[in-house]
Amino acid sequence: MSAQLWSDEPTHLDLLSFDAVAKTVVQAVLDDALDPVTVGVSGAWGSGKTTVLRLIEDELAPQPRTDATVLVISTDPWRYDPGVGAKETLIGEVLSAVAAELARKEQPGQVRSRARAVLTTLRRRVDWAKALQVAAKTSLTLQLPSVDDLTSLINTESSSQDADAADPPSRGLEEFRSEFCTLMESAELSHLKRVVVLVDDLDRCLPETVVDTLETIRLFLAVPKMAFVVAADEHRVADALRDRFPDPNSTQQGAQERYFEEPASLYLHKIVQTTVPLPTLSRFDTEAFLVLLQLSQRLPDEELAPYIAACVRLRRDKGLLDNLATTVNGNDISAELAFASRMTPILYEKLQGSPRRIKRFLNDLRVRQSVADHRGILLEADIVAKLMVLEKLLPDAFTTVLGWLARGELRSRMAKLEAAAGRPAPEPQPARDTGPSPDDDVPSTGEQNPAPDEDETEPVTFEDELVRWAKLSPSLGTVDLAPYLYLAAAFSGEQLLDAGLPGRLRDIAANLLSTARFDQHRVTDADIEALGEDDALSLVEYLGRAGRDRPAEQSAAVRGLVRIVTAYPATAERAARLLQSVPAGELEPATILTLPAADPAFRSVLEHWKTHAPADHARITRTLEHALSTGSRP
């Protein structure tokens, strides 16, 4: 995947096959039997409501500007100036659009029309209402508005032309509806078939703005030739209305005493005649969306259009998305199809069919993978995605996994978790036949890791959500997760501290595991000799697990073990047992050459690794043979 991100802005490209919803809404707003009408487009945040509004606008826009013009007005109450009422703002936007349409139709030098006079009166009513809003708000803070505050809001557009207006403007919005109806029925606007107002983001507004916007639609603007499309989460709008219209029977226990619908919902349905729900993405939709998102970044719109159309046909015909590659010719999309196939099971299950959440997750994935790549952490996108599901959506389980890493238990716990999820153990790689095993108690079975740590045989139980996560593809049984987990912990500010390691030993352990030799040498021989046997054994346990579970720290861990065992020979047996649990296929040459083969305990480790080295890892075998023959020392 490239590092290019997807914009969260709404698009005119229909990657979600929402054209059916848009066409249904367009049919409703143009239906003469539903004039005036308010249609709702309902869906959760991020479900694509704004995109549907753009598709509706595109569907209406191509109509020729002849005798059946449709005027489309887009408005967003969430962006209204809080210092001005929502009523006045919405009405002002509608009147401004109508004024522009009048100006477009008027001929140069044309005598001022009756429609223009009515429009001017309406606009002055709105400006007076704004002035009253200012007066009301400032009086609450004991700051009376000045004359300039009020008069600056009064429309002074061509006052000489207003002088001959037959109906002088009244203050406020009284009689607005009847005058607005007169304006819409005027001969100058006879070419307008509909004025369609697209209202977006109402579910993000404060309750006062929600109520004022809906009241404006119902009480002032709902006249013939007006249509409104309100895109909002119906449940969130009802929540906002509940403050104004509480349910008086909400504390009643008897179902027969309850309203069939609560007052907030009844009020909303009184204004919005019908609601078109946006469907959540199905598994097919999710996979198609992933493919089209990727293609949208490398194909121009005209080349992308056939793929969008093909996805629509495949959805209708219950076809497989794999057929997309053969349905449309001219581009190799195998990489996009493979990526979508790997990602779909995770995103479909965990992101609840939300286009915005999917897009945001992919952006986070690209950022995380780009940072990881620059740090030399190379993981497939589906592995990073699965880990991000744990990190972003299951934070408690993620903390548990970080704890395994901190305690040096990551490899053993992940193996048991994979088993609990019903995943088969990874196929053992064949070992090189080197004769009888030097370890009498460990038969040569060809497995890479036949010497498990003692506590790995204890039964372990996992939380249900962790087991369900482990069942997601892909399997992580053979993947080195430590580098990514360190990176994720750094992003989240988590400190990876082994709670089982005494505080007095943590600085010593951190320095011994450092990739910088300077830090390693800060732990002097005197420091190690001053540990005492119990602390030395604790450090052996910690370093041994780190060397097994964190390949990046393998060499440093082994170097530290050698130093401790040299000072405390009684820890040699435990150190050898832990080192034998390091998979031979993951050994680094520096790790092998660090062990002193002259020491019987460490020589047994080298022989164990040689016995169980995979047949296709000739370099590891050669290094082990060299170490055993020369008696390597650090």
Side-chain angles (χ1 to χ4, degrees), residues 390 394-404 494:
L390 186 69
L394 303 172
D396 292 339
F398 183 66
T399 300
T400 297
V401 174
L402 289 182
W404 298 345
E494 293 274 354

Side-chain angles (χ1 to χ4, degrees), residues 281-484:
L281 302 187
S282 66
R283 187 186 181 98
F284 178 93
D285 295 332
T286 301
E287 189 169 359
F289 187 46
L290 289 172
V291 173
L292 295 175
L293 276 176
Q294 295 175 86
L295 292 177
S296 68
Q297 291 192 333
R298 72 177 181 92
L299 298 180
D301 291 354
E302 60 272 14
E303 292 186 36
L304 182 62
Y307 290 99
I308 297 175
C311 286
V312 173
R313 290 194 299 272
L314 290 172
R315 180 184 293 103
R316 183 183 59 241
D317 299 336
K318 303 291 190 290
L320 297 177
L321 203 63
D322 292 344
N323 297 332
L324 195 63
T326 57
T327 304
V328 182
N329 298 320
N331 293 287
D332 179 9
I333 64 169
S334 57
E336 287 81 3
L337 286 171
F339 173 78
S341 177
R342 293 196 304 267
M343 296 290 292
T344 296
I346 297 175
L347 301 187
Y348 173 66
E349 177 178 350
K350 295 300 182 182
L351 299 185
Q352 303 170 350
S354 168
R356 176 174 294 156
R357 295 184 72 189
I358 290 174
K359 193 182 294 185
R360 183 177 181 85
F361 187 92
L362 291 182
N363 281 339
D364 290 345
L365 171 61
R366 283 192 165 178
V367 169
R368 183 62 54 85
Q369 195 166 15
S370 177
V371 174
D373 287 347
H374 284 96
R375 292 194 175 191
I377 304 171
L378 303 178
L379 291 176
E380 293 295 329
D382 51 351
I383 294 175
V384 177
K386 181 172 178 177
L387 292 171
M388 280 186 59
V389 167
L390 186 69
E391 178 186 356
K392 300 289 187 181
L393 306 181
L394 303 172
D396 292 339
F398 183 66
T399 300
T400 297
V401 174
L402 289 182
W404 298 345
L405 177 65
R407 294 190 299 274
E409 301 172 352
L410 180 63
R411 186 183 297 275
S412 60
R413 298 289 177 174
M414 284 301 300
K416 291 187 175 184
L417 178 60
E418 292 271 304
R423 292 191 177 278
E427 289 289 333
Q429 299 186 36
R432 184 177 299 275
D433 185 7
T434 58
S437 169
D439 301 308
D440 295 335
D441 59 334
V442 183
S444 178
T445 61
E447 297 177 2
Q448 288 192 56
N449 188 15
D453 196 6
E454 293 172 359
D455 61 359
E456 294 180 14
T457 60
E458 299 176 1
V460 180
T461 58
F462 302 99
E463 296 291 335
D464 288 343
E465 67 176 13
L466 199 52
V467 175
R468 290 191 70 241
W469 170 78
K471 290 181 178 179
L472 296 174
S473 295
S475 171
L476 302 179
T478 60
V479 180
D480 177 18
L481 305 179
Y484 175 87

